[in-house]
Amino acid sequence: MRIGLFIPCYIDAFFPEVGIATLELLERFGHEVVYPRDQTCCGQPMANSGFNAECADTEALFVRNFSGFDYVVAPSGSCVHHVRDNFDAIEQTDEVKEVRARTCEIVEFLHDILKVDAFPWARFPHRVGLHNSCGTLRRLKHATPSELHEPFYSKPMDLLSKVEGIEFVTPARPDECCGFGGTFSVFEEVVSTKMGYDKVSDHARAGAEYIVSADTSCLMHQQGCAERIGVPIKFIHIAQILNGASA
Amino acid sequence: MSTPPVMLHPELLAADDTHAIVRDDRRLDHAEAASKPLRSRPEPQPRGAKIHGSRPVDQAEAAARFIAAPEHEKMHDERLWDLRQKRDREMHGIPEWEELRSLASAIKEHTLTHLDEYLEQFEANARSHGVHVHWAHDAAEHNRIVHGILSDHGAKSLIKSKSMLTEECGFRPYMASVGIEVIETDLGERIQQLDNEDPSHVVVPAVHKLRTDVAEVFARTIGTDPANSDVHYLAEAQREATRPLILAADAGMTGCNFAVAETGTFVVCTNEGNADLSANVPKLHIASIGIEKIIPRLEHLAVFIRLLSRSALGSPVTQYTSHFRGPRAGGEMHVVLVDNGRSERLGMEEFWTSLKCIRCGACMNTCPVYRRSGGLSYGATYSGPIGLIIDPTFNQRKYSNLPFASTLNGSCTNVCPVKINIHEQIYAWRRVLVERHETPLAKRAAMKAAGELLSRPAAYRAAIAAADVALAHLPRFVIYNGLNAWGRHREVPHPPKQTFHSWYQANRGGKP
């Protein structure tokens, strides 16, 4: 299988270890993973703020970079949600539709496409709180949201349960948004950070040593909030744990 | 006589202890004597958004002031989250919950797409029971019609139950301007009326107030003890003050939760029974009904009644579900069917389903932004998620900031009992407002620049490298200056040694 690796801008700039873990993890399963060098972004920051026309060129660039792969995989739920559900600033040619349909988030790719049943190299003897970002939870449908009367399932929990030594803790409000919200984080920064403080405090009260998520943007925001108010908690992307990160 | 400076149990002290404090012939022991009941000044209530005509409401500014009042913010967040949890428990008690939501949504969509027929059917059936039916194109016409009815009866005072439609119409200020006294009979709404403040929530209008705030309002308006914030005391004092006004009122007014076309009847749901007082004590009953409140048949009502209170307050049903059919003997009943922008909204391709709303407030209770901002921060009749998508239909410019007061988390859509895709409509409103140039110039410039940078890989690479260097080498106070909204209340990410891009170059090399 030939996979195009999409590393969103802020992961490239601030969290290269998340990109490296995603790359290595996909390679462990014997797939050819290609990182197109001219990639930048999916257009979400502009689209999320209503500036759809302003993301047309960025979307076109994304399609040029990622056309022709069996799958495009990214360690970021919100970016994948944009590509799959809102990527309509450019004409919807067959090529565009194909790229959009083949774009996957790493958890759903491992769970639904590769159907991975073991991570023998992974061991993570820590108490972790799972943060399902709103994009992965309610758009990509990683898990049952607490608002719906539907049978319980959780793809990230399924995968993490296969990691030796891991222990889960449950915060009081497991589905509550952490307040990142893309450009909301700067345009409504007081509400955004208050939500972040509450989120990390909730996980800390539940006894989490780590908050693990499939969305690095939420983690970046939560880390900034935790450091500011002095909540001693660590942050890690799910791909890092599944790739065998020890701490 | 001097006493030793040691703390002794009173029984061990000499009887002639001059330091002893004696009250009611009893010597107080140490703890009692030393501790005076200290009452620290209660945290003042943060007020809502500052309104400047049609200038865009700054929700973020008002929200920041709400958060700066930690007792209010914490109480508000916890009280509403509690309602959300109770709603979840009720939901889990109904195996067919999701089916009910789909059914409710389908009934509403069917009705809205046949609204003219059902409205006429309702009108004809209501008239046949002797109800006077009026049609109001907008808020001003609604207010004039009600004023006309009251004038015809020489009515000078009006008791009413809570109605978001009358809030929408600016009904109380209008009545004040024509010299008619309005008395709200819903406790929360009465508190808000006495405080001259809008309701902050569609179901619990004073939910943003601490009981100390209510004590302050009642002390100022109905003469209660300002230091007594006991809930029962306050509720009873209000009852004593308002009940005589209710008994003496010339006319009564209610809103409406559901109007049934096939029967020409309408239903009002309350927990205090105040709608029944308002409708039944005076001989004249006027009901204001938004035209979207119509449902086709009585059997459909069951679907909505099962959903409404469970979604709103997490209780199986409201204490009172009152059906009104026609005037009682010797009385008169008037119904005012109000459009006020609804027909126009019905024609909006992306937003018409917002008319399905049954005003349960579940989207507000679950909204993490609303819970931390307070409903008055929106500066509009409707606050929270549903407000974000219907307020701009009333005044696009004034409410142009509201659709941005959301993280687009989607919880509102999931709790909505009539399945309005609220978060998708919030997203759609952002696009519309940008297209219509209703967004700040600085934001436009920033987004245009971002779009240009992110579509040019070479320029983007150069910018990333510069950002890396900047974060690594700038002193902390530069990064955390007042202009940097990220860093004001949270730390910026720690810049890594190299980007993923350069790591890949170094470790995987080869051709691109």
Side-chain angles (χ1 to χ4, degrees):
Chain A
M1 205 184 279
R2 199 164 162 273
I3 299 168
L5 180 64
F6 169 35
I7 300 301
C9 46
Y10 62 95
I11 296 182
D12 174 42
F14 295 122
F15 303 95
E17 64 277 14
V18 174
I20 296 166
T22 308
L23 171 66
E24 289 178 351
L25 187 55
L26 291 169
E27 286 175 342
R28 282 180 190 272
F29 296 103
H31 299 293
E32 184 194 348
V33 186
V34 179
Y35 169 75
R37 308 293 172 92
D38 277 351
Q39 63 177 284
T40 58
C41 166
C42 62
Q44 190 194 192
M46 292 81 79
N48 186 295
S49 306
F51 292 83
N52 212 37
E54 280 71 8
C55 61
D57 292 346
T58 306
E59 289 184 356
L61 175 68
F62 184 91
V63 173
R64 280 204 298 282
N65 276 306
F66 289 105
S67 196
F69 288 104
D70 295 318
Y71 288 98
V72 178
V73 178
S76 172
S78 67
C79 301
V80 170
H81 161 59
H82 174 72
V83 173
R84 278 230 295 266
D85 302 328
N86 290 323
F87 194 90
D88 61 0
I90 50 173
E91 194 194 334
Q92 299 297 298
T93 62
D94 288 345
E95 186 192 18
V96 171
K97 285 190 238 172
E98 192 70 25
V99 168
R100 291 180 62 182
R102 289 176 182 275
T103 300
C104 282
E105 183 282 324
I106 182 74
V107 167
E108 55 181 14
F109 186 71
L110 296 170
H111 189 277
D112 301 347
I113 311 291
L114 296 186
K115 302 189 194 315
V116 177
D117 56 12
F119 299 91
W121 49 80
R123 189 174 173 275
F124 201 72
H126 299 285
R127 286 191 309 279
V128 304
L130 175 63
H131 172 69
N132 281 323
S133 73
C134 302
T136 58
L137 179 70
R138 299 191 185 88
R139 283 63 170 290
L140 301 182
K141 306 198 183 304
H142 268 195
T144 320
S146 57
E147 303 95 6
L148 298 180
H149 196 339
E150 286 177 354
F152 177 81
Y153 71 93
S154 170
K155 295 176 190 180
M157 203 71 108
D158 277 358
L159 296 179
L160 286 170
S161 304
K162 303 180 202 308
V163 172
E164 192 195 327
I166 200 163
E167 190 190 330
F168 297 103
V169 300
T170 311
R173 303 181 185 186
D175 286 0
E176 178 98 317
C177 174
C178 71
F180 173 66
T183 49
F184 177 85
S185 64
V186 286
F187 291 129
E188 294 250 359
E189 57 102 14
V190 177
V191 179
S192 170
T193 48
K194 179 68 176 93
M195 287 166 67
Y197 299 160
D198 290 351
K199 187 84 213 176
V200 297
S201 304
D202 192 9
H203 276 273
R205 276 192 300 271
E209 293 168 67
Y210 284 86
I211 296 180
V212 56
S213 178
D215 248 302
T216 313
S217 52
C218 300
L219 293 181
M220 173 172 74
H221 160 73
Q222 290 177 32
Q223 182 170 13
C225 291
E227 287 177 7
R228 177 58 60 95
I229 59 169
V231 171
I233 202 162
K234 288 169 277 189
F235 298 86
I236 192 164
H237 190 276
I238 189 167
Q240 294 172 272
I241 296 182
L242 299 178
N243 188 46
S246 53
Chain B
M1 169 186 173
S2 70
T3 40
V6 286
M7 281 196 267
L8 292 172
H9 192 279
E11 288 184 10
L12 299 178
L13 286 176
D16 61 348
D17 179 4
T18 56
H19 284 235
I21 296 173
V22 177
R23 212 168 276 161
D24 299 328
D25 292 322
R26 189 174 73 87
R27 202 176 73 167
L28 301 183
D29 70 20
H30 183 79
E32 272 182 311
S35 61
K36 283 181 292 194
L38 283 177
R39 189 174 278 110
S40 61
R41 208 171 153 266
E43 183 181 86
Q45 185 198 325
R47 295 294 171 174
K50 295 165 182 160
I51 304 296
H52 309 279
S54 271
R55 294 220 330 250
V57 172
D58 190 348
Q59 193 270 342
E61 181 275 332
R65 279 189 283 109
F66 193 72
I67 288 171
E71 287 176 33
H72 283 80
E73 188 277 334
K74 186 170 189 290
M75 171 281 297
H76 191 255
D77 172 56
E78 287 176 356
R79 191 182 280 179
L80 293 170
W81 180 253
D82 180 55
L83 293 181
R84 161 68 210 280
Q85 286 187 300
K86 287 176 173 148
R87 171 237 174 243
D88 287 1
R89 280 199 290 275
E90 284 298 320
M91 166 187 77
H92 286 295
I94 308 282
E96 68 274 28
W97 181 261
E98 299 302 334
E99 208 179 313
L100 270 181
R101 290 176 68 220
S102 297
L103 200 52
S105 171
I107 295 167
K108 280 284 183 182
E109 289 189 9
H110 166 82
T111 315
L112 288 167
T113 50
H114 299 78
L115 195 55
D116 51 342
E117 298 164 32
Y118 289 119
L119 280 168
E120 285 175 6
Q121 195 186 343
F122 174 82
E123 180 188 26
N125 289 329
R127 281 193 202 283
S128 72
H129 312 141
V131 178
H132 300 267
V133 180
H134 310 259
W135 297 84
H137 173 66
D138 56 16
E141 193 175 4
H142 164 267
N143 294 345
R144 277 198 306 273
I145 290 170
V146 176
H147 183 207
I149 300 166
L150 295 174
S151 299
D152 289 347
H153 289 77
K156 300 302 285 176
S157 68
L158 175 73
I159 52 172
K160 70 181 282 290
S161 64
K162 195 171 74 60
S163 150
M164 290 311 295
L165 176 59
T166 58
E167 296 295 329
E168 202 182 299
C169 292
F171 181 70
R172 281 204 311 262
Y174 176 86
M175 283 292 127
S177 75
V178 296
I180 291 175
E181 186 191 13
V182 175
I183 300 120
E184 295 285 351
T185 56
D186 174 273
L187 175 58
E189 191 68 27
R190 180 68 175 162
I191 293 168
Q192 290 308 94
Q193 181 185 19
L194 292 173
D195 199 20
N196 196 24
E197 202 176 45
D198 288 336
S200 72
H201 187 288
V202 297
V203 174
V204 276
V207 68
H208 60 293
K209 277 183 161 68
L210 293 169
R211 58 193 181 138
T212 46
D213 301 326
V214 178
E216 186 274 318
V217 174
F218 282 4
R220 179 156 48 80
T221 52
I222 59 174
T224 57
D225 172 5
N228 192 345
S229 62
D230 179 79
V231 176
H232 300 286
Y233 165 72
L234 292 172
E236 187 53 32
Q238 193 285 139
R239 189 176 290 120
E240 295 293 329
T242 307
R243 199 51 65 99
L245 304 176
I246 292 175
L247 294 175
D250 301 322
M253 188 172 195
T254 65
C256 161
N257 292 91
F258 306 98
V260 185
E262 74 167 348
T263 55
T265 57
F266 59 96
V267 176
V268 183
C269 305
T270 72
N271 282 307
E272 298 171 26
N274 59 303
D276 303 273
L277 283 177
S278 305
N280 296 323
V281 174
K283 286 191 170 168
L284 173 61
H285 176 195
I286 305 167
S288 293
I289 304 180
I291 56 172
E292 85 287 14
K293 295 289 182 190
I294 295 280
I295 56 173
R297 293 207 297 272
L298 199 57
E299 67 179 21
H300 298 144
L301 184 65
V303 174
F304 294 99
I305 294 296
R306 293 184 79 194
L307 288 165
L308 178 64
S309 193
R310 288 187 168 94
S311 298
L313 298 168
S315 65
V317 71
T318 46
Q319 299 293 326
Y320 298 83
T321 300
S322 305
H323 296 242
F324 296 98
R325 184 171 181 278
R328 59 201 161 96
E332 222 173 277
M333 183 182 283
H334 292 255
V335 156
V336 189
L337 293 165
V338 187
D339 187 317
N340 202 31
R342 285 158 174 77
S343 295
E344 198 188 336
R345 207 180 305 151
L346 194 55
M348 297 178 172
E349 197 183 337
E350 289 175 292
F351 307 116
W352 71 275
T353 56
S354 63
L355 287 164
K356 292 191 288 183
C357 178
I358 57 171
R359 308 282 189 264
C360 68
C363 62
M364 301 169 158
N365 302 346
T366 201
C367 178
V369 177
Y370 175 87
R371 271 189 265 111
R372 289 168 180 85
S373 308
L376 298 175
S377 69
Y378 297 77
T381 300
Y382 300 100
S383 51
I386 188 67
L388 304 190
I389 62 174
I390 60 179
D391 292 327
T393 68
F394 290 106
N395 187 334
Q396 181 178 293
R397 178 151 187 263
K398 185 173 180 179
Y399 303 121
S400 57
N401 284 329
L402 296 190
F404 296 90
S406 163
T407 62
L408 300 174
N409 63 74
S411 185
C412 46
T413 297
N414 281 352
V415 296
C416 179
V418 289
K419 296 185 97 160
I420 303 171
N421 58 335
I422 303 176
H423 74 287
E424 289 172 0
Q425 292 194 31
I426 295 171
Y427 185 86
W429 265 113
R430 292 182 182 185
R431 285 191 180 188
V432 168
L433 291 164
V434 167
E435 279 163 18
R436 296 181 188 168
H437 297 271
E438 295 284 10
T439 43
L441 286 175
K443 199 189 236 183
R444 300 190 77 80
M447 288 299 155
K448 193 163 185 294
E452 281 169 8
L453 187 68
L454 291 169
S455 56
R456 287 153 55 218
Y460 168 75
R461 277 292 137 213
I464 285 280
D468 251 19
V469 171
L471 279 178
H473 295 101
L474 284 176
R476 198 171 183 275
F477 74 86
V478 175
I479 296 168
Y480 295 104
N481 69 43
L483 298 170
N484 179 342
W486 179 273
R488 215 175 289 150
H489 291 104
R490 91 204 105 189
E491 303 295 318
V492 294
H494 311 284
K497 284 198 266 321
Q498 57 184 353
T499 62
F500 175 81
H501 193 86
S502 35
W503 177 91
Y504 190 85
Q505 199 83 8
N507 292 273
R508 291 293 193 272
K511 63 181 179 61

